[in-house]
Amino acid sequence: MDALLSASRIAQSGMSVQSERLRVIAENLANANSTGRSSGSDPYARKVISFRAELEEQGGESGIALTDVGRDNSPFRVVHEPGHPAADENGYVKYPNVDPLIELADLREANRSYMANLQMIKNAREAVSALIDLLRTPS
Amino acid sequence: MKIDAAFNAPSAAALLPSKPPAGTAGAGASAPDGSFGAVFASMLQDVNASLRSAEHLSIGALTGDVPLQKAVEAVVSAEQKVQLTTAVRDKIVAAYLDLARMQI
């Protein structure tokens, strides 16, 4: 397999994974205030995404793959709101352990990483096109 | 004579796109017998297969079954293969014309 083509395929796997990451961040942000349904039940738990390097069989090139979308085990935010439908007998409501600031920082990082992979594909493509152009120049 | 094979190539290659593409892309990209016709034919088959898979993936991306990145990557790589094939073809045709214009 041509090295430049492998490079753009690896970058493409990076882009896929980063878009999964964006999806998880979107879920976390959208559910930042989702409480449980019944009184005293657990609210939405923040999701955490993890990756691993994935070795491809033929060329020994390392792409990236999604390992797992797990749950963040940190404690929930507890607010005293006796009127809330999800409040327990003492009037406390559990809110998700999502911090929008952290999610936004993560969002920026995922976005930048996506753009870096995109730039990689663009450069590999330019290199291949320039190489093919060598054939076109009149001798 | 090698040039004979080059002359015969276009007629042989013109028949190829109607045949089904040979398996996966990249299968038999370099023919061992080395005649230009055979090499170009397998190149065309390769291009045809990757164009078809690019089209397939594009439709999949439109319906949402295939990630957009995969479809874009397939289309871009097919485009590059077409560029390479046309460049090689142009080079051969130019060589043929050079010979045809030769003063005897």
Side-chain angles (χ1 to χ4, degrees):
Chain A
M1 192 70 195
D2 184 57
L4 283 171
L5 293 183
S6 316
S8 65
R9 222 180 39 235
I10 292 169
Q12 184 240 319
S13 74
M15 281 165 70
S16 308
V17 160
Q18 294 303 329
S19 42
E20 282 296 319
R21 190 176 169 193
L22 282 175
R23 180 183 64 84
V24 169
I25 293 170
E27 270 179 62
N28 285 343
L29 267 180
N31 284 301
N33 287 308
S34 304
T35 56
R37 290 193 185 172
S38 54
S39 136
S41 61
D42 276 353
Y44 172 83
R46 175 172 181 255
K47 284 184 180 166
V48 188
I49 192 168
S50 52
F51 320 119
R52 73 189 141 81
E54 185 191 56
L55 210 65
E56 299 216 356
E57 300 86 38
Q58 309 144 355
E61 50 197 44
S62 274
I64 184 170
L66 187 66
T67 309
D68 193 22
V69 180
R71 288 156 57 102
D72 189 342
N73 289 323
S74 56
F76 296 119
R77 208 169 76 235
V78 178
V79 180
H80 186 65
E81 270 182 43
H84 198 286
D88 60 9
E89 59 271 16
N90 299 321
Y92 287 102
V93 180
K94 286 189 207 161
Y95 276 97
N97 48 0
V98 175
D99 186 346
L101 261 183
I102 290 176
E103 298 305 324
L104 283 179
D106 227 17
L107 174 73
R108 267 201 118 84
E109 200 192 333
N111 204 355
R112 293 272 189 258
S113 187
Y114 190 94
M115 291 302 171
N117 282 304
L118 195 65
Q119 199 65 35
M120 183 66 236
I121 289 181
K122 224 184 257 176
N123 281 10
R125 189 182 166 205
E126 270 170 24
V128 173
S129 289
L131 193 61
I132 294 174
D133 273 347
L134 275 187
L135 283 177
R136 295 218 179 95
T137 47
S139 50
Chain B
M1 195 175 163
K2 275 274 185 268
I3 291 298
D4 285 342
F7 289 173
N8 292 334
S11 58
L15 297 172
L16 278 168
S18 57
K19 287 185 187 173
T24 55
S30 61
D33 66 347
S35 81
F36 174 73
V39 172
F40 198 71
S42 69
M43 232 172 140
L44 271 184
Q45 261 178 357
D46 194 22
V47 168
N48 196 22
S50 52
L51 274 177
R52 280 189 186 201
S53 90
E55 187 186 350
H56 193 71
L57 285 175
S58 304
I59 293 171
L62 283 178
T63 55
D65 298 330
V66 177
L68 198 57
Q69 291 96 2
K70 242 192 167 69
V72 170
E73 206 254 350
V75 171
V76 166
S77 96
E79 185 198 2
Q80 278 172 349
K81 278 181 184 165
V82 170
Q83 280 177 2
L84 179 61
T85 314
T86 51
V88 170
R89 185 212 56 191
D90 290 349
K91 212 65 177 169
I92 293 298
V93 169
Y96 170 75
L97 288 179
D98 280 349
L99 283 175
R101 277 197 296 262
M102 192 183 282
Q103 298 281 337
I104 301 174

